[in-house]
Amino acid sequence: MLPVSTCLTKVLSEASTLPLTTTTVPLLQSLNSYSSNLIKSNNPLPNYRASILDGYAVPNLSPTHPLSSSKSYAGSPLPSPPSLAISVTTGAPVPPSYSHVIGSEDVTMKDNTLIVSSNFKVPKNKNIREIGSDIKSDTVILRKNQLITYEVIGILASNGIKNISVYTRPLVGVMSSGNELIDLKDVRKEGKVHDCNRYMLLGCVEEFRGVGKDYGIVEDDKDKVKSVLEKMYEECDVVVSSGGVGRGEKDYLKECLEDIGVTIMFDRMFMKPGKPTTFGVGEKGGKKKIFFAFPGNPVSAGVCARLLLEPALQVLRGRISGGGPSGGLAGVRVKGKLLKGLVLDKIRPEYHRVIVRYGRKGFEAVSTGVQRSSRICSMVDEVGETSNGLALLPSAEEKGRGRMEDGEEVVILLTGKVLEGLEAGGGEDVTVVMVGAEEGGGKGSRVEDGVKEVFGRNTKVVRVAGEEDVEAALEGEGGKLVLVVHFKKFCDKVARRVVRVIEKRAENMESTIGRIGCDVMGGTFSFYELAAGSRGGMMVVCLGCGGDGGDGGDGEEERLEKEGWEKLLTGIKAIVKRPRDLIKI
């Protein structure tokens, strides 16, 4: 078995020798293609002196200027006034002899005379876009083998380019093999399963910007498998199959590939999932072709398509490698922390499907659940979010132990867009009742920011005027951790109100878990636990903030206070852990 990196190097090396063809398409149809030609600008941008803002063009910086009755608008011809100030709009032409544009807010008018404010500061660009200041003539605006994005399309359109030459998308044939497979149009019977691999791999080809061609399902019959492979060999640039690559009695793919003249470059990868993946090359009609035979388990096929097929299609679409052992096409790899530990395979490294987020502590990842290679749902998590990363887990043999621990760092191959941090999305189990906090700014806002930083952005915040409102604020908060924070001074009246709520709602109240001094904030906090039967429990933490709700210190004091609150709240979170785990229902 070969390491994945070695297999990828072989794939990219062979793909880079396949011939590329080009085609000319309308500008919009070139999106996400690679350019086959270098293009230079055919005119400067802008091609006239243009005003950057609404205001007045002046011939010099005198304090007063007689005002011309003519005006210059964007898209209008260039005006020719006799050295008078001209009213201009953003993008309007400015005469060659005029030195500056002054914004409307920096002038006043008196007797048809423009008076420039003494506070006007002259910008370096004089509020004028000079000819060619954005793009000079004969500037390279598109390089050969450059990916064409919507930004690139905008640049090309600004130069009046209507059509563009790009590399042709490779034709990729896809087939599935297996007696157990049926098409979507067929009714599933005992012993049969609908073919998901072919649809998934055709989707992969489309996402990777190839052109997919469906060759259907082939039975586990050597002659039939060979016949379809020969047809794909004849018609396609790339051949992709799934199933039949094991070493079972009816696994014919490797044998059939060799029979039709394909040279097998590798047929085992040292990884999980996807060990039996097979790759080969051949030549038909003077044209080189490449072959991917993926395992029949859908997760194995999907993961290996991401690892091998995607970078190969990038090469065949015209992307130039960026150097390194994999040619710079192996995807983006980052280091991130596993929020929850994972068991390691004894022998093989694993590409574990994860949900990746970027938070205040960097990249974080959580598993999508059971990783069995037949379980296609391992490509999503339990709430239906698609995996956007593969955590590269070492084997237990390599690591010297059987699992990765909570918070341990791993390398992650990103396979999709990364959004906000995982921790930032929590907080649904937490409510904060602020007693006496002033609206807008001040200590209350810093406490609220700290709570959402520690517990999550979905933390519910309720502000009440005094301790008499605490009971009403706690109504309906069953099944949650509730932080009650008093801002004027820590008052036992607040704690008594909390106890009253607990006594009303539960027959059995746990004793105070703890009453702990808080040196940083100058107060104390207490834990109360509520068991409320079927109505849901509640964990209440009373916190004395000390001081009032307004701003009361310089920036350094505020920073230290915010850090103190985050330290305190993090400690509370560590004690409470998950509120629902501590609540007795």
Side-chain angles (χ1 to χ4, degrees), residues 252-304:
Y252 300 119
L253 255 295
K254 180 182 176 183
E255 186 179 349
C256 288
L257 286 173
E258 290 175 330
D259 286 349
I260 63 175
V262 175
T263 301
I264 303 299
M265 307 301 293
F266 60 81
D267 63 357
R268 290 290 184 273
M269 292 203 299
F270 187 55
M271 65 169 292
K272 178 184 179 181
K275 180 176 71 172
T277 294
T278 299
F279 172 72
V281 296
E283 187 173 310
K284 193 77 168 181
K287 186 176 180 181
K288 191 172 182 178
K289 314 288 183 83
I290 59 176
F291 295 78
F292 294 94
F294 295 129
N297 278 322
V299 175
S300 301
V303 169
C304 292

Side-chain angles (χ1 to χ4, degrees), residues 72-91:
S72 180
Y73 298 98
S76 65
L78 187 69
S80 301
S83 300
L84 303 176
I86 314 165
S87 175
V88 295
T89 63
T90 302

Side-chain angles (χ1 to χ4, degrees), residues 218-261:
V218 184
E219 296 176 18
D220 288 326
D221 177 278
K222 182 177 178 181
D223 291 337
K224 292 179 179 179
V225 170
K226 182 177 177 180
S227 175
V228 174
L229 285 175
E230 284 182 319
K231 183 174 176 61
M232 297 168 77
Y233 194 6
E234 181 72 34
E235 298 174 348
C236 302
D237 302 304
V238 181
V239 175
V240 176
S241 68
S242 69
V245 290
R247 295 183 175 178
E249 183 180 342
K250 292 184 176 296
D251 291 330
Y252 300 119
L253 255 295
K254 180 182 176 183
E255 186 179 349
C256 288
L257 286 173
E258 290 175 330
D259 286 349
I260 63 175

Side-chain angles (χ1 to χ4, degrees), residues 121-141:
K121 295 182 179 180
V122 181
K124 289 183 179 180
N125 57 18
K126 303 177 182 179
N127 288 330
I128 297 172
R129 287 197 301 148
E130 298 291 348
I131 294 172
S133 58
D134 291 342
I135 300 176
K136 294 180 171 58
S137 291
D138 208 36
T139 297
V140 175
I141 56 175

Side-chain angles (χ1 to χ4, degrees), residues 378-412:
S378 70
M379 293 185 174
V380 299
D381 67 2
E382 59 186 6
V383 296
E385 189 168 358
T386 304
S387 167
N388 61 342
L390 296 170
L392 280 58
L393 304 182
S395 67
E397 185 176 73
E398 177 187 351
K399 192 69 175 175
R401 50 186 162 91
R403 62 176 288 113
M404 303 288 288
E405 301 300 336
D406 293 2
E408 194 164 353
E409 190 175 73
V410 294
V411 175
I412 302 169

Side-chain angles (χ1 to χ4, degrees), residues 1-33:
M1 288 189 288
L2 297 178
V4 173
S5 58
T6 301
C7 293
L8 179 59
T9 298
K10 289 179 178 291
V11 168
L12 295 178
S13 176
E14 296 297 338
S16 64
T17 63
L18 267 66
L20 302 180
T21 59
T22 63
T23 183
T24 299
V25 298
L27 183 59
L28 275 179
Q29 291 182 22
S30 70
L31 183 66
N32 290 323
S33 297

